[in-house]
Amino acid sequence: MTRRIINFSFSLVLAGSMAIIFPGCTKEEKPPEGTLSEEKMALILTDIHIAESRVTRLQLKSLDSSILIFDKLKKQIWEKNKVDTVAYRNSYNYYMTHPEYMSRIYENVAKKIEAREKKKDIKL
């Protein structure tokens, strides 16, 4: 289990690093009003990736069951972080078009997952 999460953490770092490769030589601009902070996005994405890992570990044969469980976990993540799906999606879309920000966010996500692994605090 821990190895899978570590491999997943490595994948997150790799994905974040790949964001730098894309042409993103724009100067840093201030995110639009209502955009979640990079730290808040990192917290939410950490929880989302851990939830995805939890659902995958269940090895359910039904995709519908996996989706239902993941949707329930996402609802808990929104409540825990006091954010709605619209704010999250708008922020995610903004950061995806700004790879320099998304790279920093995913570096933070990888650190958070690693820290939670060390504490054995993987539950939501």
Side-chain angles (χ1 to χ4, degrees):
M1 175 175 80
T2 302
R3 185 178 185 133
R4 185 178 290 162
I5 293 174
I6 290 171
N7 288 340
F8 189 71
S9 297
F10 177 75
S11 297
L12 291 175
V13 171
L14 183 61
S17 299
M18 292 298 291
I20 295 171
I21 295 173
F22 295 106
C25 298
T26 60
K27 63 181 181 180
E28 290 197 17
E29 61 186 62
K30 189 174 181 181
E33 190 167 328
T35 302
L36 300 174
S37 70
E38 289 183 37
E39 177 63 23
K40 187 70 151 182
M41 283 297 293
L43 289 169
I44 293 169
L45 287 168
T46 298
D47 287 343
I48 286 173
H49 291 302
I50 290 172
E52 288 173 340
S53 178
R54 288 177 65 192
V55 172
T56 300
R57 282 193 318 259
L58 293 174
Q59 297 180 338
L60 299 172
K61 296 190 186 307
S62 167
L63 180 60
D64 289 340
S65 296
S66 295
I67 290 170
L68 286 172
I69 291 170
F70 184 65
D71 285 346
K72 183 173 179 155
L73 291 173
K74 280 196 306 188
K75 184 177 179 189
Q76 292 172 358
I77 292 167
W78 306 146
E79 290 171 3
K80 172 185 171 186
N81 290 285
K82 296 178 176 89
V83 67
D84 62 49
T85 57
V86 173
Y88 169 76
R89 283 187 189 133
N90 289 340
S91 299
Y92 186 84
N93 290 337
Y94 172 78
Y95 288 122
M96 284 301 291
T97 61
H98 294 80
E100 65 278 7
Y101 295 147
M102 192 55 100
S103 180
R104 285 195 305 250
I105 290 168
Y106 267 99
E107 287 173 10
N108 198 354
V109 168
K111 288 176 187 174
K112 289 178 182 309
I113 289 175
E114 186 176 330
R116 287 175 69 172
E117 283 177 338
K118 286 180 182 174
K119 288 191 213 174
K120 300 195 185 303
D121 178 29
I122 300 298
K123 298 196 185 225
L124 295 175

